[in-house]
Amino acid sequence: QVQLVECGGGLVQAGGSLRLSCAASGSIFTLNTMGWHRQAPGKQRELVASISSGGSTNYADSVKGRFTISRDNAKNTMYLQMNSLKLEDTAVYYCNLYQTSWGRRQDYWGQGTQVTVSS
């Protein structure tokens, strides 16, 4: 099992910045991918950004150039620096870690942290 604990959400004005972090613990494999997903009210959960244990990153088009994902493998911690926040970034942000064991994908989720962007 893997446990994920997020922190760093909150209320910020449009144009401001927030930094989210996600600390992972438990049975974490060397090869894994961590990511941030978000879900706004009435909308489906969507991928915001992901980063592999090797450092390869992927971003949703809506956050490219504004958000930066990073990780510290020694601390099993992932970060999301969010700059130039927009009203539409308001959502619950979830940390995800997935890894493969014997060909089967294992997905783990954090409890979510609320990000609210105000005008």
Side-chain angles (χ1 to χ4, degrees):
Q1 288 293 318
V2 173
Q3 296 77 42
L4 302 172
V5 178
E6 304 122 329
C7 63
L11 175 64
V12 64
Q13 285 192 323
S17 298
L18 278 176
R19 189 191 196 209
L20 306 182
S21 64
C22 173
S25 61
S27 303
I28 303 168
F29 299 163
T30 301
L31 298 179
N32 62 73
T33 297
M34 297 184 74
W36 290 98
H37 299 244
R38 67 187 181 187
Q39 187 166 20
K43 295 188 177 182
Q44 288 189 329
R45 190 174 296 190
E46 62 175 357
L47 174 67
V48 176
S50 65
I51 183 167
S52 70
S53 49
S56 297
T57 59
N58 179 50
Y59 293 92
D61 288 342
S62 60
V63 306
K64 283 181 180 177
R66 300 188 297 122
F67 291 10
T68 302
I69 191 169
S70 61
R71 63 187 290 169
D72 183 335
N73 288 335
K75 297 181 179 179
N76 288 322
T77 301
M78 173 181 64
Y79 306 94
L80 185 68
Q81 179 66 43
M82 304 185 292
N83 297 329
S84 303
L85 282 161
K86 303 177 180 180
L87 297 179
E88 52 264 41
D89 294 319
T90 295
V92 177
Y93 285 69
Y94 296 92
C95 171
N96 168 261
L97 181 149
Y98 74 84
Q99 56 195 16
T100 302
S101 175
W102 295 100
R104 297 181 64 181
R105 174 169 166 157
Q106 300 173 344
D107 269 275
Y108 301 94
W109 293 91
Q111 79 282 0
T113 185
Q114 177 70 47
V115 171
T116 303
V117 183
S118 64
S119 58

